[in-house]
Amino acid sequence: MTTVGFIGLGIMGGPMAANLVKAGFDVIGYNRGPEPTRRLVEQGGRGADSLAEAVRDADVVVTMVPDSPDVESVVLGEDGVFANAKPGLLFVDASTIRPDVSARIAREGGARGVRVVDAPVSGGQQGAVEATLSIMVGGEAEDFEAARPVLEAVGRTVVHVGPAGSGQTVKAANQLIVAGTIELVAEAIVFLEAYGVDTGAAVRVLAGGLAGNAIFERKAAGMLAREFTPGFRLALHHKDLGIVQAAAREAGVVIPLGAAVSQLVAAMVARGDGGLDHSGLLKLVEQLSGRT
Ligand code: NAP
């Protein structure tokens, strides 16, 4: 039986670890706050009291933590993943972080005999719960094949997109598209409401045409009800738009609409709304339109 150490049992990591248990993996979960680990144990996993304990006996370690510095400290720290890895460990970072950081971690892993893939995910909390995530994987082809059973237990669309860091580059493009789409759906909703249109009916018909998109399917009902419990926190999307802006600049590519939506997301975070779901961008559109 493959033993998977799972670090970071938050909104995404919790259900992903539970799905690995369901798929028959021996899962040892670790989270700094103890409550999520307790939940995983209730769901049939094992709980570790320390990061080292979750890593020591693992064949595969998965991390699902917020940002690049978090992954760096969890993986490269004194008592981190690499320091406790058994020889030949397969390390899968599912967090969304900077592509250059993923590439560096892969190099450092290689130097210590750890196989590394970056495997950021898309599909949100619902995708994590339903094991239908889209997973974009960077790394060596044979390491991708080794990670495939774990990834297919939590995702439906699992694609190798290139060498180390490439998964993160594709995820950055994903976050650009998602933020832009949410902003346009929010603008459309506020526009339709200003005309007293039945927005539920409008969303149904729009979703069936060329304007159809996953935000209509997953987020529009919450937006119409002004229900912005995360889901995906604006603070995390702010982080991701920083990643895509820096990477685009590095490549000499301009993303003018991406830059505009980045500023709107930054405004939400700056005024203290970073804990809302990213569909909460609607609040800002309403306020800019003087409609609150
Ligand atoms: P979350 O609910 O905040 O979970 C993050 C987890 O990491 C928490 O359990 C947190 O628990 C732990 N953590 C935070 N900092 C840590 C550190 N320095 N060391 C060790 N553990 C740490 O976030 P999430 O929404 O699951 O997102 C996780 C990652 O997935 C992010 O990179 C995000 O961009 C990406 N993602 C999220 C979604 C989504 O819809 N939510 C979708 C796709 C991708 P403690 O603070 O108790 O340690």
Side-chain angles (χ1 to χ4, degrees):
M1 191 190 249
T2 304
T3 297
V4 181
F6 204 113
I7 295 153
L9 303 169
I11 288 178
M12 298 296 285
M16 288 168 73
N19 282 326
L20 288 171
V21 172
K22 274 191 212 150
F25 290 96
D26 169 33
V27 181
I28 314 181
Y30 172 69
N31 197 79
R32 288 183 310 189
E35 182 53 29
T37 310
R38 203 189 49 71
R39 268 199 305 276
L40 179 67
V41 170
E42 272 173 19
Q43 291 163 322
R46 291 195 279 150
D49 292 326
S50 68
L51 197 154
E53 192 187 329
V55 173
R56 220 174 282 135
D57 299 323
D59 307 300
V60 181
V61 167
V62 182
T63 45
M64 194 48 162
V65 296
D67 201 352
S68 305
D70 303 311
V71 174
E72 285 175 307
S73 74
V74 163
V75 178
L76 306 174
E78 215 171 280
D79 206 17
V81 175
F82 287 177
N84 288 286
K86 70 180 186 188
L89 174 75
L90 176 62
F91 170 59
V92 177
D93 180 30
S95 325
T96 304
I97 64 168
R98 284 173 21 208
D100 61 309
V101 173
S102 283
R104 182 162 61 80
I105 286 174
R107 280 195 303 278
E108 297 204 15
R112 292 165 179 246
V114 176
R115 299 169 292 159
V116 178
V117 295
D118 48 297
V121 308
S122 177
Q125 184 180 21
Q126 191 183 338
V129 170
E130 295 172 353
T132 55
L133 294 166
S134 210
I135 310 182
M136 34 224 103
V137 189
E140 298 292 333
E142 59 270 31
D143 298 340
F144 167 70
E145 285 308 327
R148 193 195 276 277
V150 167
L151 298 175
E152 288 184 344
V154 298
R156 187 162 56 194
T157 309
V158 179
V159 181
H160 183 218
V161 294
S166 309
Q168 299 295 353
T169 305
V170 176
K171 175 67 184 182
N174 183 84
Q175 294 306 82
L176 174 66
I177 295 167
V178 171
T181 308
I182 289 177
E183 174 62 20
L184 287 176
V185 168
E187 291 179 13
I189 288 173
V190 173
F191 164 74
L192 290 166
E193 286 179 350
Y195 278 90
V197 170
D198 174 346
T199 41
V203 165
R204 271 203 309 285
V205 69
L206 290 170
L210 194 55
N213 64 76
I215 304 304
F216 274 146
E217 285 159 32
R218 302 275 184 88
K219 301 279 180 184
M223 291 165 90
L224 295 179
R226 306 307 193 255
E227 165 53 39
F228 302 127
T229 306
F232 186 65
R233 290 183 284 120
L234 275 160
L236 288 175
H237 215 142
H238 180 52
K239 164 204 54 136
D240 295 346
L241 291 167
I243 292 171
V244 69
Q245 282 191 290
R249 173 184 276 257
E250 181 86 21
V253 169
V254 297
I255 48 167
L257 291 182
V261 75
S262 295
Q263 290 297 307
L264 296 169
V265 170
M268 288 294 282
V269 173
R271 68 184 205 167
D273 278 334
L276 297 183
D277 187 68
H278 49 174
S279 56
L281 263 177
L282 180 86
K283 276 179 65 173
L284 189 57
V285 176
E286 268 187 313
Q287 280 159 9
L288 291 172
S289 303
R291 296 188 59 81
T292 49

